[in-house]
Amino acid sequence: MRYLNQTKAQATNHQTTNMKQELRKILLEHRRNMSQEEVSHSSNIIWKQLKDWIEEHTPDVIHTYLPIQNEVDTLPLVRYALEKGHKVVVPKTLKNRALKHCVLHSLSELETGKFGTLHPTTEEEYEGRYDLIVIPAVGYDHEGNRLGYGAGYYDTFLQDHPEAMKVGLAHSFQMVDHLSVEEHDIPVDHVFCS
């Protein structure tokens, strides 16, 4: 009986993985096909919502991704946060699904790393608590479940920071009705969407 239950669980996990991979492929293709005008328009709508939230909640320490491949643009967030004196931390992608969290002092100190991602040249590591974590993803559903890129970089990181407000940023087509979730998946608290 235990073997049968294990087999069912494995089949369900396999089916969930296949569905996620197919949806990831569709959403990434849609995002790749966005024009720069579309990305900019959508990102501006989302930034206004996020800025309102930041002005109301005044987080001291903000962790955010830096955009690649038509992701929602977070550079307005970074400029604003640096100008207002918030501490800004950005991830550097390492081997073995690990992230190094680097303090960003200026947008002029960035270099390109793994997968074309940007990170600070100084690599000053931050190991404290976060008030706000802005998470990259391929898609979200209305319960805050996220479809990541499939490498699991953020799963451990989010588990280690349950106190932080976790938000997603999504172009309108990245919002889907329902995402299948696995035990290790951590939802965001809110999605700002165009």
Side-chain angles (χ1 to χ4, degrees), residues 103-111 119-122:
V103 177
L104 180 64
H105 297 284
S106 167
L107 284 172
S108 64
E109 64 178 37
L110 294 173
E111 64 184 6
H119 60 267
T121 53
T122 57

PDB file of all heavy atoms in Angstrom, residues 103-111 119-122:
ATOM      1  N   VAL A 103      24.882  44.422  -1.181  1.00  0.00           N
ATOM      2  CA  VAL A 103      24.402  45.792  -0.987  1.00  0.00           C
ATOM      3  C   VAL A 103      24.698  46.587  -2.253  1.00  0.00           C
ATOM      4  O   VAL A 103      25.807  46.520  -2.791  1.00  0.00           O
ATOM      5  CB  VAL A 103      25.084  46.450   0.231  1.00  0.00           C
ATOM      6  CG1 VAL A 103      24.636  47.897   0.384  1.00  0.00           C
ATOM      7  CG2 VAL A 103      24.789  45.649   1.495  1.00  0.00           C
ATOM      8  N   LEU A 104      23.697  47.324  -2.711  1.00  0.00           N
ATOM      9  CA  LEU A 104      23.865  48.170  -3.898  1.00  0.00           C
ATOM     10  C   LEU A 104      23.882  49.629  -3.452  1.00  0.00           C
ATOM     11  O   LEU A 104      22.938  50.102  -2.827  1.00  0.00           O
ATOM     12  CB  LEU A 104      22.709  47.934  -4.880  1.00  0.00           C
ATOM     13  CG  LEU A 104      22.746  48.746  -6.171  1.00  0.00           C
ATOM     14  CD1 LEU A 104      23.962  48.385  -7.005  1.00  0.00           C
ATOM     15  CD2 LEU A 104      21.473  48.519  -6.972  1.00  0.00           C
ATOM     16  N   HIS A 105      24.968  50.330  -3.762  1.00  0.00           N
ATOM     17  CA  HIS A 105      25.095  51.734  -3.388  1.00  0.00           C
ATOM     18  C   HIS A 105      24.777  52.667  -4.544  1.00  0.00           C
ATOM     19  O   HIS A 105      24.391  53.810  -4.328  1.00  0.00           O
ATOM     20  CB  HIS A 105      26.525  52.018  -2.879  1.00  0.00           C
ATOM     21  CG  HIS A 105      26.866  51.249  -1.638  1.00  0.00           C
ATOM     22  ND1 HIS A 105      26.391  51.582  -0.393  1.00  0.00           N
ATOM     23  CD2 HIS A 105      27.635  50.140  -1.467  1.00  0.00           C
ATOM     24  CE1 HIS A 105      26.850  50.724   0.503  1.00  0.00           C
ATOM     25  NE2 HIS A 105      27.610  49.843  -0.124  1.00  0.00           N
ATOM     26  N   SER A 106      24.963  52.164  -5.771  1.00  0.00           N
ATOM     27  CA  SER A 106      24.761  53.008  -6.949  1.00  0.00           C
ATOM     28  C   SER A 106      24.523  52.131  -8.174  1.00  0.00           C
ATOM     29  O   SER A 106      25.114  51.049  -8.294  1.00  0.00           O
ATOM     30  CB  SER A 106      25.993  53.882  -7.175  1.00  0.00           C
ATOM     31  OG  SER A 106      25.950  54.474  -8.459  1.00  0.00           O
ATOM     32  N   LEU A 107      23.687  52.602  -9.085  1.00  0.00           N
ATOM     33  CA  LEU A 107      23.452  51.863 -10.326  1.00  0.00           C
ATOM     34  C   LEU A 107      24.669  51.898 -11.244  1.00  0.00           C
ATOM     35  O   LEU A 107      24.748  51.134 -12.201  1.00  0.00           O
ATOM     36  CB  LEU A 107      22.228  52.425 -11.050  1.00  0.00           C
ATOM     37  CG  LEU A 107      20.885  52.028 -10.448  1.00  0.00           C
ATOM     38  CD1 LEU A 107      19.746  52.777 -11.110  1.00  0.00           C
ATOM     39  CD2 LEU A 107      20.666  50.520 -10.563  1.00  0.00           C
ATOM     40  N   SER A 108      25.632  52.765 -10.943  1.00  0.00           N
ATOM     41  CA  SER A 108      26.843  52.841 -11.772  1.00  0.00           C
ATOM     42  C   SER A 108      27.845  51.746 -11.428  1.00  0.00           C
ATOM     43  O   SER A 108      28.858  51.592 -12.108  1.00  0.00           O
ATOM     44  CB  SER A 108      27.498  54.213 -11.626  1.00  0.00           C
ATOM     45  OG  SER A 108      27.943  54.392 -10.300  1.00  0.00           O
ATOM     46  N   GLU A 109      27.573  50.954 -10.376  1.00  0.00           N
ATOM     47  CA  GLU A 109      28.540  49.940  -9.941  1.00  0.00           C
ATOM     48  C   GLU A 109      28.108  48.515 -10.311  1.00  0.00           C
ATOM     49  O   GLU A 109      28.450  47.559  -9.636  1.00  0.00           O
ATOM     50  CB  GLU A 109      28.768  50.035  -8.430  1.00  0.00           C
ATOM     51  CG  GLU A 109      27.536  49.735  -7.600  1.00  0.00           C
ATOM     52  CD  GLU A 109      27.756  49.785  -6.091  1.00  0.00           C
ATOM     53  OE1 GLU A 109      28.525  50.638  -5.652  1.00  0.00           O
ATOM     54  OE2 GLU A 109      27.162  48.965  -5.384  1.00  0.00           O
ATOM     55  N   LEU A 110      27.365  48.366 -11.412  1.00  0.00           N
ATOM     56  CA  LEU A 110      26.844  47.057 -11.778  1.00  0.00           C
ATOM     57  C   LEU A 110      27.685  46.379 -12.851  1.00  0.00           C
ATOM     58  O   LEU A 110      28.244  47.028 -13.722  1.00  0.00           O
ATOM     59  CB  LEU A 110      25.403  47.193 -12.288  1.00  0.00           C
ATOM     60  CG  LEU A 110      24.373  47.655 -11.259  1.00  0.00           C
ATOM     61  CD1 LEU A 110      23.034  47.910 -11.933  1.00  0.00           C
ATOM     62  CD2 LEU A 110      24.218  46.628 -10.147  1.00  0.00           C
ATOM     63  N   GLU A 111      27.721  45.036 -12.776  1.00  0.00           N
ATOM     64  CA  GLU A 111      28.340  44.243 -13.829  1.00  0.00           C
ATOM     65  C   GLU A 111      27.441  43.048 -14.134  1.00  0.00           C
ATOM     66  O   GLU A 111      26.583  42.686 -13.331  1.00  0.00           O
ATOM     67  CB  GLU A 111      29.742  43.784 -13.424  1.00  0.00           C
ATOM     68  CG  GLU A 111      29.777  42.841 -12.237  1.00  0.00           C
ATOM     69  CD  GLU A 111      31.203  42.480 -11.802  1.00  0.00           C
ATOM     70  OE1 GLU A 111      32.160  43.059 -12.344  1.00  0.00           O
ATOM     71  OE2 GLU A 111      31.337  41.625 -10.915  1.00  0.00           O
ATOM     72  N   HIS A 119      24.717  42.538 -11.025  1.00  0.00           N
ATOM     73  CA  HIS A 119      24.997  42.601  -9.590  1.00  0.00           C
ATOM     74  C   HIS A 119      26.095  43.626  -9.349  1.00  0.00           C
ATOM     75  O   HIS A 119      26.827  43.992 -10.265  1.00  0.00           O
ATOM     76  CB  HIS A 119      25.401  41.226  -9.038  1.00  0.00           C
ATOM     77  CG  HIS A 119      26.619  40.659  -9.687  1.00  0.00           C
ATOM     78  ND1 HIS A 119      26.566  39.817 -10.760  1.00  0.00           N
ATOM     79  CD2 HIS A 119      27.940  40.846  -9.433  1.00  0.00           C
ATOM     80  CE1 HIS A 119      27.789  39.497 -11.140  1.00  0.00           C
ATOM     81  NE2 HIS A 119      28.642  40.112 -10.343  1.00  0.00           N
ATOM     82  N   PRO A 120      26.231  44.113  -8.098  1.00  0.00           N
ATOM     83  CA  PRO A 120      27.247  45.133  -7.798  1.00  0.00           C
ATOM     84  C   PRO A 120      28.666  44.591  -7.954  1.00  0.00           C
ATOM     85  O   PRO A 120      28.944  43.445  -7.618  1.00  0.00           O
ATOM     86  CB  PRO A 120      26.967  45.494  -6.336  1.00  0.00           C
ATOM     87  CG  PRO A 120      25.584  45.030  -6.068  1.00  0.00           C
ATOM     88  CD  PRO A 120      25.366  43.842  -6.952  1.00  0.00           C
ATOM     89  N   THR A 121      29.538  45.430  -8.432  1.00  0.00           N
ATOM     90  CA  THR A 121      30.946  45.041  -8.581  1.00  0.00           C
ATOM     91  C   THR A 121      31.622  44.856  -7.226  1.00  0.00           C
ATOM     92  O   THR A 121      32.550  44.066  -7.097  1.00  0.00           O
ATOM     93  CB  THR A 121      31.715  46.113  -9.385  1.00  0.00           C
ATOM     94  OG1 THR A 121      31.495  47.386  -8.778  1.00  0.00           O
ATOM     95  CG2 THR A 121      31.263  46.156 -10.830  1.00  0.00           C
ATOM     96  N   THR A 122      31.156  45.577  -6.211  1.00  0.00           N
ATOM     97  CA  THR A 122      31.810  45.517  -4.895  1.00  0.00           C
ATOM     98  C   THR A 122      31.529  44.215  -4.156  1.00  0.00           C
ATOM     99  O   THR A 122      32.334  43.777  -3.345  1.00  0.00           O
ATOM    100  CB  THR A 122      31.328  46.680  -4.001  1.00  0.00           C
ATOM    101  OG1 THR A 122      29.911  46.621  -3.895  1.00  0.00           O
ATOM    102  CG2 THR A 122      31.761  48.012  -4.580  1.00  0.00           C
TER     103      THR A 122
END
